[in-house]
């Protein structure tokens, strides 16, 4: 048996492959026709569904688990300051769990590969952001409704203590995503945790009770506007992305 394998190896080394150019051209034409046939039959919803399949569902499970623990914590604890601190932590953690999926292209150095595909990086990111917005919107709707029905937290306090730090964390993450300086997802996580520490310090300080409702409403409005700007910049402008130590325009 060993002698037979040696003869096969020797036979393989002695053969010089002579590719047939006509066969290569036929293969290219067949692949191109198959590609366009698949593309013409794919609607936007099919493309959105395909992008949903690429997202690892465990992050949504972890987000749901974080919201569940937050609800249990709020229901069991009576200390208002402790609840406020918990809201600030879980709001940032809820957004941080999205970072591995949004940074997956950059961390795996797949930006150039996706940039050469039929669908642009801008279309890919818009689809994934839309999917995350839809799923997270459903999770947060049930979370808000559940806390409101228990009567432990009113909507106004929930907007300030949870949605405001969550929106600011989103701004930090998306701004880091399109930044030429914060290339790593770890930098985005660090900045988000730093913001969490600042927010907890604000909540526990003497300044927090003296801030009026209109000021909080203005802060929420400004964060939403800046979040809209960062998402728009990712999707519509030429943004720097990192790929293998080089820069690639989207």
């Amino acid at each position: 048996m060993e002698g037979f394998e040696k003869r096969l190896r020797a036979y393989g080394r002695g053969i010089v492959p002579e590719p047939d150019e006509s066969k290569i051209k036929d293969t290219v034409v067949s692949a191109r026709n198959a590609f366009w046939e698949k593309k013409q039959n794919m609607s936007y919803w099919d493309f959105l569904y395909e992008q949903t399949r690429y997202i690892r569902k465990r992050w949504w499970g972890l987000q749901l688990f974080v919201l569940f623990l937050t609800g249990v914590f709020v229901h069991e604890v009576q200390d208002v300051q402790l609840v406020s601190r918990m809201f600030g932590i879980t709001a940032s953690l809820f957004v941080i769990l999205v970072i591995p999926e949004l940074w997956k292209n950059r961390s795996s150095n797949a930006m150039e590969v996706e940039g050469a595909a039929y669908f642009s990086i801008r279309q890919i990111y818009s689809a994934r952001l839309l999917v995350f917005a839809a799923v997270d919107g459903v999770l947060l709707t049930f979370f808000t409704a559940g806390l409101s029905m228990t009567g432990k937290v009113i909507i106004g306090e929930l907007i300030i203590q949870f949605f405001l730090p969550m929106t600011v964390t989103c701004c930090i993450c998306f701004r880091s995503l399109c930044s030429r300086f914060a290339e790593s997802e770890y930098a985005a996580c660090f900045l988000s945790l730093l913001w969490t520490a600042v927010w907890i310090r604000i909540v526990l300080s003497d300044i927090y009770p003296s801030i009026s409702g209109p000021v909080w409403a203005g802060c929420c409005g400004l964060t939403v506007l800046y979040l809209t700007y960062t998402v728009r910049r990712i999707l519509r402008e030429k943004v720097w992305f990192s790929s293998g130590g080089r820069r690639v325009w989207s």
Side-chain angles (χ1 to χ4, degrees), residues 230-243:
T230 54
V231 174
R232 181 185 178 88
R233 186 166 185 264
I234 290 174
L235 301 180
R236 295 192 177 183
E237 297 181 8
K238 289 183 177 180
V239 179
W240 289 93
F241 286 104
S242 174
S243 179

Side-chain angles (χ1 to χ4, degrees), residues 111-127:
M111 300 301 296
E112 290 181 346
V113 176
E114 292 193 352
Y118 179 84
F119 294 101
S120 65
I121 296 176
R122 183 181 293 109
Q123 291 173 313
I124 293 172
Y125 266 94
S126 63

Side-chain angles (χ1 to χ4, degrees), residues 187-245:
C189 292
F190 173 76
L191 293 174
S192 299
L193 294 175
L194 183 63
W195 154 248
T196 302
V198 172
W199 174 253
I200 292 175
R201 184 66 180 269
I202 294 173
V203 170
L204 299 181
S205 66
D206 298 332
I207 303 175
Y208 180 80
S210 61
I211 301 177
S212 61
V215 174
W216 284 122
C219 293
C220 293
L222 289 175
T223 55
V224 171
L225 288 176
Y226 188 76
L227 178 61
T228 304
Y229 163 75
T230 54
V231 174
R232 181 185 178 88
R233 186 166 185 264
I234 290 174
L235 301 180
R236 295 192 177 183
E237 297 181 8
K238 289 183 177 180
V239 179
W240 289 93
F241 286 104
S242 174
S243 179

Side-chain angles (χ1 to χ4, degrees), residues 27-41:
T27 303
V28 172
V29 172
S30 300
R32 184 181 300 169
N33 292 335
F35 172 80
W36 283 107
E37 181 181 357
K38 178 66 175 177
K39 170 61 186 69
Q40 291 172 357
N41 295 330

Side-chain angles (χ1 to χ4, degrees), residues 141-190:
T141 299
F142 281 103
F143 173 71
T144 305
L147 288 182
S148 300
M149 288 188 295
T150 59
K152 289 286 185 178
V153 182
I154 60 177
I155 294 295
E157 288 295 320
L158 188 62
I159 292 175
I160 296 173
Q161 297 178 10
F162 185 87
F163 286 98
L164 179 58
M166 185 192 73
T167 307
V168 174
T169 307
C170 289
C171 293
I172 293 173
C173 292
F174 291 148
R175 186 65 184 85
S176 301
L177 181 62
C178 61
S179 173
R180 67 181 67 185
F181 302 107
E183 297 182 356
S184 173
E185 61 267 34
Y186 299 109
C189 292
F190 173 76

